[in-house]
């Protein structure tokens, strides 16, 4: 597939997936299988875990330091620390504010969309109920972010 | 006239009539008297002269022929004329020829012989001397003395005059009396009527009079005037009544309204020239304390954080909402509405305004806001949390055929597991949403129940889960009762025990303790576990609707929200205490004693 070849351009980027619903996380991961990128994706299941990952605190403290992600896929409704709170933290921290954050949620509420963009989200995507559409979304998503998009050099 | 001023009108009339009548009567009587007297005298003289002439004619011949006896005979005819008292016939040489005396001879007669011809009146006697002529020659004289009886005459005339005077005088008085009755009496009556009316203030009396004369006109005008006064009086009374009613209304308006009315100087302190007493209810400070900043200025009680905003907004007509600090340090929201008034005449400016306590409204707004947020969260969840399992089911039923085709058993099992979980989650969510929506809508009448009995009933309901997880149950219950909607309170306990069971399952020797204790005089019910505990950072999210602290737990985020709502419907409070992760959690709640089905129903209508 020519798509795969183009995609390889950004093959080294790392992605942080923040998703509390294990089923949804599984769907996202399976969708990305076509891009052969799953090794680059790190999954956390709540907002606090996401922050801990970024700041190397809690379970992520100590030696086994992970690299700072190039892209963050963030759900909105998260246990403990809400998605919007996580977004606020990221975008107000000089270390992380350049990381593109993409909201991937089931919520289509205008308020949530407005809140996300107010807090400088880079993109807002709604999870389609239909699997085929979900696949299409992830395909376009990968094509865009993994092939065309230029990331800042750390 | 000054002397008459204080006399009554009929006295005046009588005096005036008497004085003037008297003077007139006396004058007329006197004139008549004098007049009559002179007329009488003239008559007397004329008669005497006539008699003297007649006698002298008769006596001329006897005198000439010197027959004294015959002359005397003639003289004696004078006997018939009563008045003549003496007569003397003299011859040419003035010696007495014949003499007649009615009574006695009067000595003084000779005195008058020497007098001239004519008459002479003296001392009540008329003396007449008549010369006697015969053929042109004087042959003698006749002297005659007539008693005039003037004294008697005067007396007689005087009596008549006096009689006349008295008759006239009586007439005068009668006239005065008549005038008094006809003219003065109505005026006097009018005076007394007016006095009575003015004393009693009764202008309704009708004093109208028939007639065209001035008195009747006076009466009728006066009557008209009284009617006018009466009408005006009635209108005045009505106006006064209306005015006092409106004043009363105004007063009760000012004193009964919850708002504070004030008039303040235009300065930075709201120096009050008037502030209604309700300020005490509002702020706890007396009105007098604010007047002229006696003890404190109004600005002093404005909440510090709001002062800047308030000062900025006070201009022309203004509406403000800000907080004040009351005497007992409580914060109250107030609405102030006022206007700066510039009086051009006096050049003064002031603020007139009203301050209203809107704390309740603000609380309600706050409550409404919270309710709105909850509602929003609710709809959000319906779209998000209900959509989530749908996305899962759709996705994995989509993966399933290709996984079966590949014969990838691990994947097939995973797919089925996700589908099953999502379906279960969905049905659980729907059940709990239904349960949540029932609260407040269906209210059971309050009942009082022994708490231990209630706990034992609940434990039977959750027995399956407790046994499966091998959880120890400890009871530490004082003999207390709990009052309220018992089925709902059962739900509270069931949720709390379920929740505790959920998070103690991984602990060593999992234990749940249910008990009561007394804190600050209130009976507190608690459910304590030795489970995973709560990170204090997320304590505020604990009771939020659809909030989950653990992504891996199988809860829906409704259970504790349900607990909170039921406890609050009982005017109670629920909270959690935990020393941190891994240190267990204690859920505590208390029930207010004012629970009635009515007020809970009202909350949810």
């Amino acid at each position: 597939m020519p798509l795969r070849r183009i995609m390889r351009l950004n093959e080294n980027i790392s992605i942080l997936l923040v998703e509390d619903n294990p089923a949804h996380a599984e769907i996202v991961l399976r969708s990305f299988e076509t891009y052969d990128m799953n090794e680059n994706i790190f999954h956390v299941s709540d907002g606090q875990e996401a922050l801990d990952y970024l700041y190397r605190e809690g379970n992520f403290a100590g030696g086994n330091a992970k690299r700072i992600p190039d892209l963050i896929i963030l759900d909105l409704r998260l246990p403990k620390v809400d998605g919007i709170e996580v977004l606020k933290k990221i975008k107000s921290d000089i270390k992380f504010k350049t990381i593109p954050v993409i909201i991937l949620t089931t919520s289509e509420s205008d308020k949530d969309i407005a809140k996300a963009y107010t807090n400088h989200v880079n993109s807002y995507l709604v999870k389609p109920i239909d699997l085929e559409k979900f696949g299409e979304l992830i395909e376009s998503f990968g094509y865009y972010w993994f092939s065309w998009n230029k990331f800042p050099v750390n | 006239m000054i002397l008459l001023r204080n006399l009554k009108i009929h006295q005046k009339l009588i005096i005036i009539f008497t004085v003037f009548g008297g003077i007139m009567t006396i004058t007329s009587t006197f004139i008549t008297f004098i007049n009559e007297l002179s007329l009488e005298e003239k008559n007397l003289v004329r008669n005497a002269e006539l008699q003297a002439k007649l006698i002298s004619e008769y006596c001329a011949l006897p005198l000439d022929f010197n027959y004294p006896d015959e002359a005397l005979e003639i003289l004696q005819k004078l006997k018939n004329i009563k008045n003549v008292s003496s007569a003397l016939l003299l011859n040419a040489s003035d010696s007495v020829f014949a003499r007649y005396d009615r009574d006695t001879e009067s000595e003084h007669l000779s005195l008058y012989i020497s007098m001239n011809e004519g008459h002479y009146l003296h001392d009540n006697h008329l003396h007449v001397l008549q010369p006697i002529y015969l053929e042109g020659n004087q042959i003698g004289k006749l002297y005659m003395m007539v008693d005039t009886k003037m004294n008697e005459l005067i007396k007689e005339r005087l009596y008549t005059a006096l009689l006349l005077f008295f008759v006239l005088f009586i007439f005068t008085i009668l006239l005065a009396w008549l005038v008094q009755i006809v003219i003065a009496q109505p005026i006097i009556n009018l005076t007394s009527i007016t006095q009575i009316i003015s004393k009693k203030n009764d202008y309704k009396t009708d004093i109208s009079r028939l007639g065209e004369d001035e008195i009747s006109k006076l009466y009728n005008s006066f009557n008209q005037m009284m009617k006018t006064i009466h009408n005006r009086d009635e209108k005045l009374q009505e106006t006064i009544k209306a005015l006092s009613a409106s004043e009363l209304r105004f007063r009760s308006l000012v004193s009964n309204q919850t708002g504070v009315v004030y008039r303040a100087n235009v300065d930075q302190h709201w120096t009050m020239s008037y502030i209604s007493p309700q300020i005490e209810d509002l702020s706890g400070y007396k009105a007098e304390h604010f007047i002229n900043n006696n003890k404190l200025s109004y600005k002093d009680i404005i909440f510090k954080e709001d002062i800047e905003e308030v000062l900025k907004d006070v201009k022309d007509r203004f509406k403000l909402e800000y907080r004040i600090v009351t005497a007992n340090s409580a914060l109250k929201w107030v609405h102030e509405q006022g206007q700066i008034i510039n009086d051009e005449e006096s050049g003064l400016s002031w603020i007139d305004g009203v301050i209203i306590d809107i704390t309740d409204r603000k609380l309600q707004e706050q409550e409404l806001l919270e309710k709105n947020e909850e509602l929003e969260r609710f709809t959000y969840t319906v779209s998000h949390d209900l959509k989530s399992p749908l996305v899962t089911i759709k996705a994995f039923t989509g993966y399933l055929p290709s996984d079966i085709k590949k014969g990838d058993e691990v994947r097939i099992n995973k797919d089925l597991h996700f589908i099953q979980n999502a379906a279960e989650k969905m049905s659980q969510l729907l059940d709990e949403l239904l349960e949540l929506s029932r609260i407040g809508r269906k209210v059971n009448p309050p009942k009082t129940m022994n708490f231990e009995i209630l706990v034992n009933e609940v434990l039977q309901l959750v027995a399956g889960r407790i046994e499966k997880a091998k959880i120890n149950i400890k009871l530490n219950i004082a003999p207390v009762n709990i009052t309220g909607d018992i089925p709902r309170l059962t739900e509270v306990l069931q949720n709390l025990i379920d929740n505790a069971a959920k998070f103690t399952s991984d602990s060593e020797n999992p234990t749940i303790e249910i008990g009561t204790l007394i804190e600050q005089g209130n009976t507190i019910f608690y459910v304590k576990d030795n489970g995973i505990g709560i990170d204090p950072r997320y304590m505020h999210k604990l009771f939020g609707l659809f909030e989950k602290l653990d992504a891996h737990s199988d809860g829906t985020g409704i259970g504790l929200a349900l607990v909170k709502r039921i406890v609050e419907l009982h005017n109670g409070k629920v909270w959690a205490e935990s020393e941190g992760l891994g240190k267990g959690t204690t859920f505590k709640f208390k029930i207010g004693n004012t629970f009635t089905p009515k007020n809970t129903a009202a909350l949810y209508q």
Side-chain angles (χ1 to χ4, degrees), chain B residues 373-588:
Chain B
E373 269 171 21
E374 200 183 289
L375 195 72
E376 227 167 78
R377 236 176 6 245
F378 191 88
T379 46
Y380 180 89
T381 307
V382 170
S383 73
H384 180 277
D385 287 30
L386 281 178
K387 219 163 122 188
S388 283
L390 210 61
V391 169
T392 308
I393 291 167
K394 272 264 194 177
F396 289 98
T397 48
Y399 288 132
L400 204 54
S402 66
D403 288 339
I404 288 169
K405 214 168 159 188
K406 281 186 226 161
D408 188 337
E409 230 175 278
V410 181
R411 281 229 170 169
I412 294 169
N413 283 336
K414 240 185 181 177
D415 294 347
L416 289 173
H417 169 75
F418 280 132
I419 292 167
Q420 201 182 351
N421 268 5
E424 257 171 37
K425 183 75 166 283
M426 222 168 167
S427 99
Q428 189 191 358
L429 205 60
L430 287 171
D431 283 349
E432 288 183 16
L433 278 175
L434 193 66
E435 191 53 46
L436 192 70
S437 74
R438 277 192 191 127
I439 301 172
R441 231 188 305 149
K442 208 180 142 207
V443 180
N444 301 300
K447 263 189 199 162
T448 299
M449 193 174 178
N450 179 280
F451 185 61
E452 190 161 2
I453 296 172
L454 182 68
V455 168
N456 283 320
E457 280 180 13
V458 174
L459 284 173
Q460 278 177 13
L461 290 173
V462 294
R465 182 166 203 155
I466 301 285
E467 267 168 37
K468 202 174 151 197
K470 294 184 177 141
I471 294 166
N472 302 312
I473 297 290
K474 263 170 74 182
L475 295 183
N476 183 22
I477 301 172
V480 290
N481 290 333
I482 187 163
T483 303
D485 183 341
I486 295 298
R488 296 281 172 240
L489 292 174
T490 306
E491 270 178 280
V492 168
L493 280 170
Q494 193 180 344
N495 267 294
L496 290 179
I497 295 168
D498 255 341
N499 198 64
K502 207 182 289 172
F503 296 106
T504 46
S505 48
D506 293 338
S507 310
E508 229 175 276
N509 192 21
T511 308
I512 296 175
E513 182 183 320
I514 303 157
T516 59
L517 51 91
I518 303 283
E519 270 179 21
Q520 290 168 338
N522 294 312
T523 301
I524 309 287
F525 309 98
Y526 69 85
V527 176
K528 186 178 173 184
D529 65 54
N530 60 350
I532 58 167
I534 299 166
D535 188 329
R537 283 182 294 177
Y538 316 123
M539 198 62 106
H540 67 283
K541 285 189 147 193
L542 205 56
F543 296 98
L545 187 60
F546 305 116
E547 293 284 4
K548 276 169 67 181
L549 293 189
D550 184 1
H552 304 290
S553 86
D554 59 354
T556 54
I558 294 180
L560 288 180
L562 194 101
V563 166
K564 183 172 184 247
R565 187 171 279 186
I566 294 171
V567 171
E568 280 175 358
L569 276 181
H570 286 76
N571 294 314
K573 199 184 156 195
V574 61
W575 67 101
E577 291 170 3
S578 175
E579 282 173 23
L581 282 172
K583 294 189 174 160
T585 311
T586 307
F587 279 93
K588 294 182 173 178

Side-chain angles (χ1 to χ4, degrees), chain A residues 58-73:
Chain A
N59 290 337
F60 303 100
N64 52 340
K66 306 272 173 187
R67 58 183 286 200
I68 292 172
D70 296 302
L71 191 68
I72 298 171
I73 301 173

Side-chain angles (χ1 to χ4, degrees), chain A residues 20 22-24 26-27 30-31 33 45 48 77 79-82 105-108 111-112 129-131, chain B residues 376 380 384 387-388 392 394-396 398-399 403 411 414-415 418 537-538 541 546 548-549 551-552:
Chain A
D20 66 320
H24 289 195
E26 177 79 15
I27 299 166
R30 282 196 195 185
S31 303
E33 268 176 0
S45 22
Q48 189 58 51
R77 280 192 53 78
K80 293 178 187 170
V81 180
D82 203 43
T105 179
T106 45
S107 168
E108 287 181 77
K111 218 173 160 184
D112 278 341
I129 292 176
D130 197 73
L131 180 65
Chain B
E376 227 167 78
Y380 180 89
H384 180 277
K387 219 163 122 188
S388 283
T392 308
K394 272 264 194 177
F396 289 98
Y399 288 132
D403 288 339
R411 281 229 170 169
K414 240 185 181 177
D415 294 347
F418 280 132
R537 283 182 294 177
Y538 316 123
K541 285 189 147 193
F546 305 116
K548 276 169 67 181
L549 293 189
H552 304 290

Side-chain angles (χ1 to χ4, degrees), chain B residues 265-266 340-351:
Chain B
N265 300 344
V266 186
I340 297 179
I341 292 165
N342 298 305
D343 189 43
E344 282 175 16
E345 261 177 51
S346 63
L348 293 172
S349 297
W350 65 84
I351 307 173

Side-chain angles (χ1 to χ4, degrees), chain B residues 301-328:
Chain B
I301 67 166
I302 298 176
F303 188 48
K304 294 277 175 288
E305 287 176 23
D306 297 350
I307 282 182
E308 206 181 319
E309 191 78 7
V310 165
L311 288 176
K312 205 176 73 196
D313 288 343
V314 175
K315 50 195 164 194
D316 305 337
R317 278 168 174 273
F318 57 89
K319 280 182 183 177
L320 306 168
E321 282 187 8
Y322 56 91
R323 286 162 289 180
I324 60 163
V325 184
T326 68
N328 47 21

